[in-house]
Amino acid sequence: MVHRAMASVDVLAAALVVAAFAAIPLAGQTPTGAAKVKASSTWTVPRTPDGKPDLQGVWVNFDQTPFEQPLPAMKTGDAPAAGAAAPVAAGRGNGFADPTVVVPRRPSMVVEPANGRVPVMAWAEKVREDKAAHIGDHWENGTTWDRCVTRGIPGAMFPAAYNNGYTIVQSPGYVTIVYEMIHDARVIPTDGSPHLPSSVRLWDGDSRGHWEGDTLVVDISNYNGKGDIATNAASARIRGIPASDELHVVERFTRVSDKTINYEVTLTDPKVYTSPWKIAMPLIRDDNYKMFEYACHEGNVYFWNGTLGGGRAQDRAAAESGRLWTQVGRPISCPSLFRIS
């Protein structure tokens, strides 16, 4: 399948996300714990042959919930109540026919801090803004998703407008998650083996899992400090925020029904955030969902030919007019690298 992050598709996907995420929660709603689904007292957790909770299957998370709560001054009173079932416009009309899934509407994906806002430091937001303003200058100014390297962990779990499919496979001592978008496969040891030496650094960190009762807990460290915490447009303000080498992530997967896994993730990075923060959302089992190849390769030629070519066209227009081209109020440098005629 043709790589789905071509420039025209990116614009369309971004528009779909903006529309789908336009609902703003009521003032005074608190997000803490809102995403959890309680297990029925009559439901029994299915188990694998080795006795572990069975998380296997195809799971999706098309979700209309905004990533963060808005600032108080931006809140309105016309949003549906938290917890109301809401059909999600999960890709109808984007060309990929991703299905609509009904999930509980919540005030925000962020459930801690209680205000539903990520406590990101100002310097990290400035890095994001500067890179976005200069994306036409250099490929390193794009996110790792723009470059088809990785969506990151836990970024790969954050909903986008399309390709929100995950296949979970278990075997004794391992849980593997196959991601539809950028076709990553994350193998998580659950055999008690320790983290890799601290000298080994990875784009997606080093995942190590263990079971706490019926919950799979995954501890992730050893990040290389070159990635982004979130890469898709649905992450809004947090898209493109850098992930440092001190990022520490803890995920929790708890199956609470035949059709639902409660997913929670806590992020700590003292270089980027003033305090830890937490995301919570349901994963919905869909046995009819078909995962397709996301033929994205490092380099993402179509996207970058257009993006860098557009930057060079701006450079030429500026030179011809005898003035320095500006974008978003900032001057754009004119590097000779990647000049595309």
Side-chain angles (χ1 to χ4, degrees):
M1 184 171 290
V2 176
H3 170 48
R4 300 183 227 191
M6 292 172 62
S8 60
V9 175
D10 251 0
V11 171
L12 180 54
L16 287 166
V17 170
V18 169
F21 279 62
I24 297 178
L26 295 170
Q29 291 176 347
T30 56
T32 303
K36 283 191 176 182
V37 176
K38 292 184 178 180
S40 168
S41 59
T42 61
W43 180 78
T44 302
V45 178
R47 299 193 178 274
T48 59
D50 61 346
K52 303 303 182 185
D54 192 341
L55 306 179
Q56 297 179 104
V58 177
W59 305 84
V60 297
N61 62 350
F62 297 100
D63 199 325
Q64 194 176 11
T65 301
F67 197 82
E68 293 184 282
Q69 288 223 52
L71 292 169
M74 298 171 60
K75 291 187 178 182
T76 66
D78 58 357
V88 179
R92 296 294 187 189
N94 70 1
F96 309 130
D98 286 334
T100 296
V101 177
V102 176
V103 297
R105 187 191 303 276
R106 289 100 62 208
S108 60
M109 297 278 182
V110 176
V111 297
E112 293 179 10
N115 65 0
R117 303 282 295 177
V118 178
V120 61
M121 294 180 182
W123 76 264
E125 290 198 85
K126 186 177 186 305
V127 167
R128 177 206 61 211
E129 292 169 359
D130 289 347
K131 284 189 173 184
H134 293 268
I135 192 170
D137 286 358
H138 200 287
W139 55 270
E140 286 189 333
N141 289 336
T143 69
T144 52
W145 183 36
D146 296 331
R147 295 156 55 190
C148 289
V149 176
T150 177
R151 287 186 67 204
I153 301 295
M157 298 297 299
F158 298 159
Y162 57 94
N163 294 136
N164 293 320
Y166 313 85
T167 297
I168 299 179
V169 180
Q170 289 172 250
S171 60
Y174 295 91
V175 175
T176 298
I177 304 176
V178 179
Y179 300 88
E180 182 175 22
M181 189 174 287
I182 307 199
H183 54 260
D184 280 342
R186 178 164 56 130
V187 179
I188 305 168
T190 58
D191 57 359
S193 56
H195 276 293
L196 296 171
S198 60
S199 59
V200 178
R201 297 285 167 168
L202 307 170
W203 283 101
D204 292 339
D206 177 45
S207 293
R208 302 286 155 163
H210 66 275
W211 296 94
E212 292 183 1
D214 291 336
T215 296
L216 172 64
V217 180
V218 184
D219 187 274
I220 313 165
S221 62
N222 295 54
Y223 287 90
N224 65 11
K226 299 178 181 179
D228 306 288
I229 203 63
T231 54
N232 60 303
S235 304
R237 184 177 71 106
I238 306 306
R239 182 184 191 272
I241 293 294
S244 87
D245 57 357
E246 291 190 20
L247 175 63
H248 180 223
V249 173
V250 177
E251 298 173 301
R252 301 178 69 88
F253 297 79
T254 307
R255 189 167 182 177
V256 293
S257 74
D258 286 337
K259 293 292 186 180
T260 307
I261 290 175
N262 282 341
Y263 174 78
E264 299 176 290
V265 58
T266 301
L267 301 93
T268 304
D269 190 337
K271 290 183 177 178
V272 181
Y273 310 106
T274 59
S275 64
W277 56 284
K278 181 178 179 180
I279 288 278
M281 61 186 171
L283 303 178
I284 307 300
R285 181 163 177 159
D286 188 345
D287 295 332
N288 296 317
Y289 186 83
K290 303 298 182 184
M291 287 178 52
F292 293 97
E293 178 191 7
Y294 190 91
C296 186
H297 57 88
E298 187 169 353
N300 197 0
V301 172
Y302 294 109
F303 176 87
W304 285 111
N305 275 354
T307 300
L308 297 174
R312 303 296 68 75
Q314 291 179 341
D315 292 347
R316 288 193 292 270
E320 290 167 2
S321 65
R323 61 183 177 82
L324 186 65
W325 185 273
T326 61
Q327 180 183 30
V328 196
R330 296 184 178 88
I332 293 181
S333 59
C334 303
S336 60
L337 291 175
F338 309 107
R339 187 164 298 279
I340 301 173
S341 301

